[in-house]
Amino acid sequence: MPQPVVDIFIPCFIDQLFPQTAWNMVKLLEALGCTVRYNTNQTCCGQPAYNAGFQNECRQVADKFLEDFSSEDSDYIVAPSASCVGMIRNAYSNIFVTSSNFTRYRTMERKVLELTEFLTDVLQVKEIPGARLDAKVTYHDSCSALRECGIKEGPRRLLDMVEGLQLAEMQETETCCGFGGTFAAKFESISVAMAEQKVENALSTGAEYIVSTDTSCLMHLEAYSKKQGKPIKVLHIADVLTSGW
């Protein structure tokens, strides 16, 4: 079976704040037999502008994304962010619906996958040799992963492949963490209260880490935990799957 050629999209949060997560995704994909490529021209998917109501500005970013990721010799486009993948699959449909590039967008969009669904649905990974994390963790279902991408069981199956890891489900795991991009800035008190609820539910499991597919959620929860002195840390699932290497 030929190696799949994967173009990776690294979102803004990961590029600027969690670059090690991007490197871990590359290590993971290469270890599983993929040919990984990174287009250095890539920037943003446009979600911040779109969520803030600047659709014309977002269209410019979306046009650039389409240009950067329309290579015909790639098999898949993979991102370690369900939030960005959800943006490309859903909002882009509205952005390009009246564009002459709509057919080109649809061709590109069919290749776009979040990391965990690529691992489970395309590569059909059954084991991750060497993955080990001796810790109790709890998993947070991000809104984008669950509601926009339909991702639920896949990340949990992958976590079960990590030696030494104990997964404990928290109450209300499908409830929003309160980040929501501009929501956290516009409605700070509500956002903080939602983070408090999520962190307290995570702590009640006895977990040492909150794990998720989205660094935006994890950044929000980590900031709250640190400010309040809560004894829990966060890890992107790509970091967990390459622990022990």
Side-chain angles (χ1 to χ4, degrees):
M1 180 179 178
Q3 291 185 328
V5 177
V6 177
D7 284 331
I8 58 171
F9 172 56
I10 305 302
C12 308
F13 278 117
I14 292 179
D15 178 59
Q16 296 297 313
L17 301 172
F18 305 95
Q20 192 58 45
T21 297
W23 284 113
N24 285 336
M25 181 179 76
V26 172
K27 288 195 302 182
L28 180 61
L29 292 175
E30 289 182 341
L32 295 172
C34 299
T35 298
V36 179
R37 305 190 311 188
Y38 176 74
N39 182 350
T40 57
N41 291 324
Q42 65 180 268
T43 54
C44 176
C45 68
Q47 185 174 183
Y50 186 83
N51 288 347
F54 296 98
Q55 295 202 15
N56 288 335
E57 290 80 358
C58 177
R59 171 69 178 272
Q60 297 176 32
V61 180
D63 283 338
K64 185 179 187 309
F65 186 96
L66 183 61
E67 187 65 32
D68 291 340
F69 288 95
S70 288
S71 173
E72 295 182 2
D73 62 347
S74 69
D75 298 312
Y76 302 98
I77 302 161
V78 177
S81 169
S83 177
C84 295
V85 170
M87 172 72 184
I88 296 160
R89 288 183 183 170
N90 299 295
Y92 274 25
S93 294
N94 297 326
I95 292 169
F96 286 110
V97 69
T98 58
S99 168
S100 59
N101 280 326
F102 186 75
T103 300
R104 186 182 177 196
Y105 155 67
R106 280 301 189 197
T107 300
M108 183 272 293
E109 183 265 341
R110 284 192 288 269
K111 298 181 181 181
V112 178
L113 293 162
E114 184 272 333
L115 173 63
T116 64
E117 63 179 350
F118 177 68
L119 298 179
T120 58
D121 299 352
V122 177
L123 297 185
Q124 298 184 356
V125 171
K126 303 301 181 185
E127 62 176 345
I128 304 175
R132 184 176 189 91
L133 180 64
D134 294 308
K136 190 175 187 179
V137 310
T138 191
Y139 180 78
H140 162 60
D141 288 286
S142 79
C143 295
S144 295
L146 185 67
R147 296 174 178 87
E148 292 189 80
C149 299
I151 297 169
K152 175 68 177 180
E153 297 303 325
R156 291 168 168 83
R157 294 204 305 271
L158 293 167
L159 291 174
D160 283 341
M161 299 175 196
V162 180
E163 291 291 332
L165 184 147
Q166 181 183 354
L167 177 61
E169 294 286 356
M170 71 173 106
Q171 291 184 344
E172 300 180 349
T173 183
E174 296 183 359
T175 300
C176 179
C177 71
F179 179 65
T182 55
F183 178 87
K186 292 179 179 178
F187 304 100
E188 179 184 352
S189 59
I190 300 174
S191 175
V192 171
M194 294 171 74
E196 178 185 16
Q197 181 186 48
K198 179 65 67 170
V199 169
E200 290 302 324
N201 283 337
L203 285 168
S204 69
T205 67
E208 300 170 59
Y209 297 96
I210 301 173
V211 177
S212 187
T213 55
D214 284 82
T215 54
S216 51
C217 298
L218 295 174
M219 178 184 68
H220 181 57
L221 296 174
E222 182 180 46
Y224 172 81
S225 297
K226 285 184 174 180
K227 185 174 180 62
Q228 299 300 323
K230 300 294 183 180
I232 197 164
K233 294 172 283 189
V234 303
L235 280 173
H236 188 278
I237 194 165
D239 303 322
V240 176
L241 299 178
T242 53
S243 293
W245 286 17

